[in-house]
Amino acid sequence: MRRLVMWDVDCTLLRGGGLAGRAWKAAFTEITGLEWLADPVFGGRTDMDICAEVFAAHGVTDCTPERFFTRYIEHVTKNRHEFGQYGALMPGVRAVLSRLGDNPNVVQTLVTGNVPEVALAKVAAFDLTDVFDAEVGGYGTDDAVRATLVRRSLERAEAKYGERFAPVVVGDTVHDVTAALANDAYAVGVATGSTKMADLVLAGAHAVLPDLSDVEATVRILTL
């Protein structure tokens, strides 16, 4: 059975340099006319989930997530060069992706809380577009619950390729781990965000790495 390796984006593959957060706030202010009051916790959450919290915190009742996301995507697209200018790939990422890309038993995709247009802009900034089968990914517009993103991605992959896959989820937060476990996926935690290795272990991750700089060990874990 081939493996479907589902990569989280932020703090797992890369750091975006703050562009998405700036675009989020600018789009919100333009759409609602309201002053931005407080930052939500973004890590590991879906954009649908975050949007619901932000709207509730600001008392917004006359705007849909779809309308907000349209303006948000416009801001990100206009300034997408900033991902590469101010952001960076996490250690070992390019080498690991390349090694997995050479393995015919592996399909790589994205399972991320980002809306698809923003997720793809981030990986494109580092010339990684061709690494992933974006068609079978799971994105922040699919559902507010991250576990659903994993399920949708697996369904899309099996429908497209006409075969079953062994799912592997790689992420830097407890949300990534719990979403993987909810779908009987192999959960790999990477402590390159704000979540400690111990917390990823306690969440139930099958394997936990400090980062991806040990390419041989990482590839071995992802292809067990």
Side-chain angles (χ1 to χ4, degrees):
M1 188 182 296
R2 291 206 290 170
R3 281 159 179 73
L4 179 67
V5 179
M6 307 172 177
W7 290 96
D8 172 53
V9 174
D10 297 299
C11 295
T12 299
L13 292 175
L14 56 87
R15 295 190 187 278
L19 170 58
R22 292 190 294 273
W24 188 286
K25 295 174 186 178
F28 176 84
T29 300
E30 290 177 10
I31 286 289
T32 66
L34 298 173
E35 181 183 356
W36 182 269
L37 298 178
D39 290 340
V41 175
F42 284 91
R45 300 173 63 192
T46 68
D47 278 355
M48 286 287 286
D49 183 31
I50 297 166
C51 191
E53 178 186 324
V54 169
F55 281 10
H58 292 80
V60 176
T61 59
D62 58 351
C63 183
T64 64
E66 292 76 17
R67 182 175 167 223
F68 165 73
F69 288 145
T70 297
R71 184 62 60 85
Y72 168 55
I73 291 165
E74 288 173 356
H75 275 275
V76 170
T77 300
K78 179 176 66 176
N79 299 300
R80 61 185 181 275
H81 63 279
E82 293 183 13
F83 285 132
Q85 184 176 356
Y86 300 113
L89 286 181
M90 305 307 285
V93 163
R94 195 177 297 279
V96 169
L97 295 179
S98 177
R99 285 283 302 277
L100 292 177
D102 291 336
N103 188 333
N105 291 316
V106 173
V107 172
Q108 299 186 84
T109 192
L110 303 172
V111 170
T112 169
N114 289 283
V115 299
E117 294 86 350
V118 173
L120 296 177
K122 289 178 179 179
V123 297
F126 298 95
D127 298 319
L128 295 175
T129 301
D130 294 340
V131 172
F132 307 104
D133 185 345
E135 287 185 351
V136 302
Y139 302 99
T141 47
D142 283 329
D143 199 84
V145 178
R146 194 172 186 106
T148 305
L149 276 54
V150 175
R151 177 171 59 81
R152 294 275 175 83
S153 178
L154 185 58
E155 290 171 347
R156 287 167 178 152
E158 293 183 343
K160 177 176 179 177
Y161 290 93
E163 61 185 285
R164 294 187 62 197
F165 283 92
V168 180
V169 173
V170 191
D172 68 291
T173 72
V174 167
H175 297 292
D176 298 293
V177 174
T178 56
L181 298 179
N183 289 275
D184 295 322
Y186 190 74
V188 179
V190 186
T192 43
S194 60
T195 306
K196 297 178 180 178
M197 292 182 71
D199 292 326
L200 294 170
V201 172
L202 288 172
H206 297 99
V208 177
L209 299 166
D211 56 35
L212 305 182
S213 58
D214 188 335
V215 176
E216 294 299 327
T218 302
V219 170
R220 186 167 59 251
I221 287 169
L222 296 178
T223 56
L224 282 174

